[in-house]
Amino acid sequence: MSTGTSHGTVYPVSPELKVRSLVDNERYLAMYQQSIINPEGFWREHGQRIDWFNPFTKVKKVSFDDHFVDINWFYDGTTNASYNCLDRHLETRGDQVAIIWEPDEEGEARKVTYKELHEQVCRFANALKSQGVRQGDVVAIYMPMIVEAIVAMQACSRIGAVHSVVFGGFSPEALAGRIIDSSAKVVITADEGVRGGKKIPLKENVDEALTHPSIKSVEKVIVYRHTQADIAWHDHRDVSWTDMTAIASPYCQPREMNAEDPLFILYTSGSTGKPKGVLHTTGGYLVYASMTHEYVFDYKQGEVFWCNADVGWVTGHSYVTYGPLLNGATLVMHEGLPNYPEVNRISKIIDKHNVNILYIAPTAIRALMAEGDKAVAGTSRQSLRLLGTVGEPINPEAWHWYYKTVGEERCAIVDTWWQTETGAAMLTPLPGATDLKPGSATRPFFGVQPALVDNAGLLIEGEGEGNLVILDSWPGQARTVFGDHDRFIQTYFTHFKGMYTTGDGARRDKDGYYWITGRVDDVLNVSGHRMGTAEIESAMVAHKSVAEAAVVGFPHNIKGEGIYVYVTLNSGTEYSDELKSNLRQWVRKEIGPIATPDIIQWAPGLPKTRSGKIMRRILRKIASGDYDNLGDTSTLADPTVVDHLIRDRALAS
Ligand code: 6R9
């Protein structure tokens, strides 16, 4: 049942959910209060949800001061991530399936129990050690969505190595950049990945990346044979996964790690320059990932949980790998595309494996919605109990389609707002506690203090709109940017003093619900993936014909935001359709297919201020065809440039 308000429809918590869930609204409010009034006490209690080798006595030591940003949680405790994900479940649920792997083509699924996963991780951890990987070494993982990707992550954490998973869709160039920045010692990859019937030549990409003259750190490439494709083999460097694990011992002692020892690096786009290696540490991340997984999805033992994010993104870290395994869940992992071979693939997988909880991005929902009922044809989805979304704002139309067509109005939807830097969910409904408003990520998780500030940094009280900031630390927060703490401070703690800047804008309604309005910086959100405009621009200008490029987002039906590029060519170069398609190929090669421009507009001139700064505000308006509201153009060096761009907008393609 739903009721209308000035903010649209409200869906109250159903009586059944209230009863079955961990927390109802009264309990949520009480726990939230406690977490804010007495964070030490709250997290001292909830920090116990993981096993510690040496229990912590200190809970929190944090400074958000921009001269000295320092974040520590549970910092005298010792533990191990892999031990918590695997060993501690062996006695109670060793024979329970941990991972159900569904291949790209419809076929037999692979099932791995906790006991089997534990042995595979131990063997591979020993194999890593035999290749000289030690505590603190960085290991790059460039893998398809297969069980071995999780095994590799777990094996790293077991021996105290720091994993840096690079999305398998990134190009050799992009992979090389991340290897250089992290000084990775080993790269773990597969011969090929498979998506929608197409092969992705991962090993070939690694070989190409390693030809980069600045890469000095990589000693070994470990290759898992997934498709048995023919691949080049370099005896001095390449090692076979299967050969190594066959001779490795089936038990590996988990290394005792300090709570603040690094667990992983994950690169993400920012508003300037090259991607940042966001660093997460061990204790706080594990506590926060497991706690959000249990409370947000109201996870109960025996349920089947499916988050279809790639392990190359943070969602794949916290809700494919760590969160579910920490809670002893059965998780589904799918290598292929949500709409391959037919648009009802997701629904079929739900029925096949009796999935109870589905967690996907709005872009996938919109792509399925475009197919209407075909997306659920021939399936019952009776097992579904809860739906989740993440990655970008969900438009109410997509929300309603997800609710009605996929969930048949039986399942609550948790719209979870968070970031690579936050580690896990921050603003989110809790199924038994929160009345839902389509399009709103609703209220903060325990321990999270969101606030809105205006551009001068003044707090906005009550209803209003502004920059979304977080006033105090939470255990899952990133600790630094790998190798560049100044950049960490600069990016997150200088705009508004003493607070964490999210880079998102938000509105708060009269009920205290948050509505994310999108990025306030030069970061695009394309199909739920973060893309820095600066990154695409620098790839464009690296092309020999390009003099200058300006990238903006524009509204896109399926992707949420599309990539619109204004290009000025070097003088003497001919503007042609062929060159446009070359430039598209070029960006795919430089960054990867996800960065491919949707629209390129030739721009012999770009709107600039007299000091030479490109006025993106105007370019965004032109890209979305909104010519009446160009705002103040008086500071432009040459106002006629704008008229020309508007005239040529129709020619852009
Ligand atoms: C988890 C993840 C983070 C950015 C974030 C915001 C956008 C994520 C959202 C959302 C509205 C949601 N975002 N979830 N916007 N509603 N439920 O996606 O991390 O890849 O680092 O992206 O995604 O703009 O700042 P990441």
Side-chain angles (χ1 to χ4, degrees):
M1 202 190 63
S2 61
T3 52
T5 72
S6 57
H7 298 289
T9 319
V10 178
Y11 292 83
V13 176
S14 71
E16 307 90 81
L17 264 184
K18 212 170 172 167
V19 175
R20 82 142 257 162
S21 301
L22 271 166
V23 290
D24 60 12
N25 196 42
E26 289 70 43
R27 181 106 184 97
Y28 163 77
L29 293 173
M31 280 176 76
Y32 182 73
Q33 270 302 88
Q34 192 212 347
S35 75
I36 302 305
I37 293 170
N38 179 11
E40 293 256 346
F42 183 88
W43 290 112
R44 186 178 298 281
E45 178 189 341
H46 292 281
Q48 309 301 335
R49 55 179 300 120
I50 66 165
D51 286 2
W52 296 89
F53 296 165
N54 200 356
F56 63 87
T57 63
K58 314 262 199 249
V59 176
K60 179 187 177 207
K61 187 174 70 181
V62 170
S63 162
F64 276 8
D65 180 331
D66 63 351
H67 297 295
F68 179 69
V69 173
D70 187 35
I71 302 161
N72 304 274
W73 284 91
F74 313 117
Y75 54 99
D76 61 349
T78 64
T79 183
N80 178 280
S82 169
Y83 176 86
N84 273 285
C85 290
L86 304 172
D87 304 50
R88 69 170 174 155
H89 303 311
L90 292 182
E91 209 171 294
T92 47
R93 55 178 84 94
D95 294 322
Q96 181 198 307
V97 172
I99 305 175
I100 303 174
W101 178 79
E102 177 73 19
D104 182 57
E105 295 292 341
E106 287 176 288
E108 209 176 318
R110 176 178 167 198
K111 295 185 179 170
V112 184
T113 65
Y114 271 92
K115 214 189 270 164
E116 290 163 345
L117 186 61
H118 178 260
E119 183 180 327
Q120 289 175 30
V121 168
C122 282
R123 282 184 185 277
F124 191 64
N126 284 326
L128 282 177
K129 285 206 277 191
S130 75
Q131 296 301 320
V133 179
R134 299 280 173 264
Q135 174 172 348
D137 287 343
V138 176
V139 173
I141 299 178
Y142 184 66
M143 292 281 269
M145 278 292 283
I146 56 176
V147 172
E148 284 68 23
I150 294 181
V151 172
M153 292 163 82
Q154 286 289 320
C156 287
S157 71
R158 197 163 185 91
I159 62 173
V162 183
H163 60 70
S164 165
V165 183
V166 179
F167 173 54
F170 277 125
S171 69
E173 266 303 308
L175 172 62
R178 286 155 174 78
I179 290 174
I180 295 165
D181 187 78
S182 65
S183 301
K185 189 169 180 181
V186 165
V187 181
I188 304 170
T189 191
D191 44 9
E192 293 179 324
V194 196
R195 271 171 81 81
K198 284 200 209 113
K199 302 284 172 60
I200 295 125
L202 297 171
K203 169 64 164 63
E204 198 180 305
N205 288 352
V206 170
D207 287 342
E208 195 182 326
L210 294 185
T211 61
H212 199 293
S214 306
I215 298 185
K216 309 256 187 306
S217 58
V218 175
E219 291 170 12
K220 296 285 173 203
V221 175
I222 302 173
V223 185
Y224 180 76
R225 290 301 197 136
H226 176 45
T227 65
Q228 315 300 332
D230 250 344
I231 47 173
W233 199 261
H234 305 96
D235 281 329
H236 68 283
R237 187 174 74 200
D238 298 344
V239 197
S240 151
W241 174 300
T242 321
D243 293 354
M244 280 169 52
T245 47
I247 54 167
S249 149
Y251 180 72
C252 170
Q253 182 87 27
R255 190 148 185 111
E256 182 171 356
M257 305 296 288
N258 182 271
E260 284 302 335
D261 281 336
L263 178 61
F264 66 83
I265 300 169
L266 188 56
Y267 285 85
T268 190
S269 297
S271 48
T272 52
K274 60 178 180 129
K276 297 184 282 280
V278 169
L279 183 99
H280 282 282
T281 57
T282 306
Y285 174 82
L286 296 177
V287 168
Y288 198 69
S290 71
M291 186 161 176
T292 53
H293 175 258
E294 184 177 2
Y295 281 80
V296 171
F297 300 104
D298 200 33
Y299 185 80
K300 297 268 194 313
Q301 286 317 309
E303 290 188 320
V304 178
F305 179 84
W306 183 19
C307 162
N308 86 335
D310 194 282
V311 289
W313 310 114
V314 74
T315 309
H317 281 59
S318 303
Y319 300 112
V320 174
T321 312
Y322 288 107
L325 293 180
L326 284 163
N327 291 330
T330 296
L331 66 96
V332 174
M333 183 181 204
H334 176 216
E335 184 174 7
L337 295 174
N339 55 0
Y340 178 86
E342 306 284 344
V343 293
N344 63 354
R345 185 68 189 276
I346 286 193
S347 303
K348 280 175 103 171
I349 296 175
I350 291 168
D351 280 4
K352 183 171 171 187
H353 301 301
N354 290 311
V355 171
N356 304 113
I357 304 157
L358 176 69
Y359 190 33
I360 61 179
T363 185
I365 298 170
R366 287 190 298 266
L368 297 176
M369 181 171 78
E371 305 287 341
D373 288 347
K374 275 207 280 184
V376 294
T379 65
S380 85
R381 303 168 318 290
Q382 273 310 308
S383 56
L384 273 185
R385 173 179 78 60
L386 185 72
L387 302 169
T389 92
V390 59
E392 50 179 316
I394 181 164
N395 45 315
E397 196 193 354
W399 195 102
H400 280 110
W401 185 83
Y402 197 31
Y403 185 70
K404 292 198 169 117
T405 307
V406 178
E408 292 183 320
E409 305 189 25
R410 263 183 301 112
C411 311
I413 296 184
V414 287
D415 174 356
T416 62
W417 173 89
W418 57 291
Q419 311 177 294
T420 305
E421 297 86 340
T422 71
M426 298 286 282
L427 295 174
T428 176
L430 299 186
T434 316
D435 296 344
L436 305 175
K437 300 185 189 184
S440 170
T442 74
R443 304 183 295 191
F445 191 73
F446 306 122
V448 175
Q449 290 188 55
L452 300 176
V453 293
D454 64 17
N455 288 339
L458 290 176
L459 280 174
I460 297 166
E461 306 285 345
E463 279 180 75
E465 187 168 335
N467 301 287
L468 178 64
V469 294
I470 314 289
L471 299 180
D472 198 358
S473 185
W474 62 100
Q477 182 172 24
R479 305 300 197 249
T480 191
V481 168
F482 183 74
D484 198 349
H485 195 59
D486 283 346
R487 189 164 175 208
F488 184 65
I489 298 175
Q490 194 59 39
T491 312
Y492 305 107
F493 298 95
T494 49
H495 301 279
F496 309 115
K497 303 281 181 217
M499 337 174 166
Y500 167 78
T501 299
T502 66
D504 279 321
R507 178 165 70 77
R508 190 173 46 224
D509 71 17
K510 64 173 186 356
D511 300 321
Y513 276 40
Y514 286 84
W515 300 71
I516 305 295
T517 52
R519 300 290 303 191
V520 293
D521 52 13
D522 289 323
V523 172
L524 308 182
N525 192 325
V526 182
S527 301
H529 301 317
R530 269 164 74 168
M531 295 292 328
T533 54
E535 230 175 309
I536 307 172
E537 286 165 6
S538 68
M540 292 294 290
V541 296
H543 189 278
K544 62 178 186 329
S545 306
V546 176
E548 194 160 35
V551 174
V552 296
F554 71 102
H556 188 288
N557 278 347
I558 305 284
K559 298 181 180 181
E561 214 169 3
I563 300 174
Y564 196 109
V565 192
Y566 295 88
V567 180
T568 312
L569 296 178
N570 285 321
S571 60
T573 313
E574 203 174 315
Y575 289 82
S576 70
D577 283 349
E578 195 192 339
L579 182 54
K580 260 190 196 172
S581 91
N582 287 346
L583 288 176
R584 284 204 169 85
Q585 280 309 320
W586 176 261
V587 177
R588 288 171 76 92
K589 192 182 129 309
E590 289 286 297
I591 304 176
I594 53 170
T596 313
D598 292 285
I599 298 181
I600 296 178
Q601 175 168 351
W602 297 132
L606 289 167
K608 291 184 187 169
T609 60
R610 270 168 263 256
S611 61
K613 229 170 156 344
I614 295 176
M615 294 185 75
R616 283 161 204 288
R617 176 173 56 79
I618 294 176
L619 292 176
R620 272 193 289 269
K621 295 272 184 193
I622 297 175
S624 42
D626 184 9
Y627 310 133
D628 297 333
N629 294 304
L630 291 181
D632 183 11
T633 52
S634 62
T635 52
L636 280 175
D638 175 7
T640 64
V641 166
V642 173
D643 301 331
H644 291 149
L645 288 178
I646 292 176
R647 186 195 62 202
D648 294 345
R649 171 69 179 85
L651 301 173
S653 58

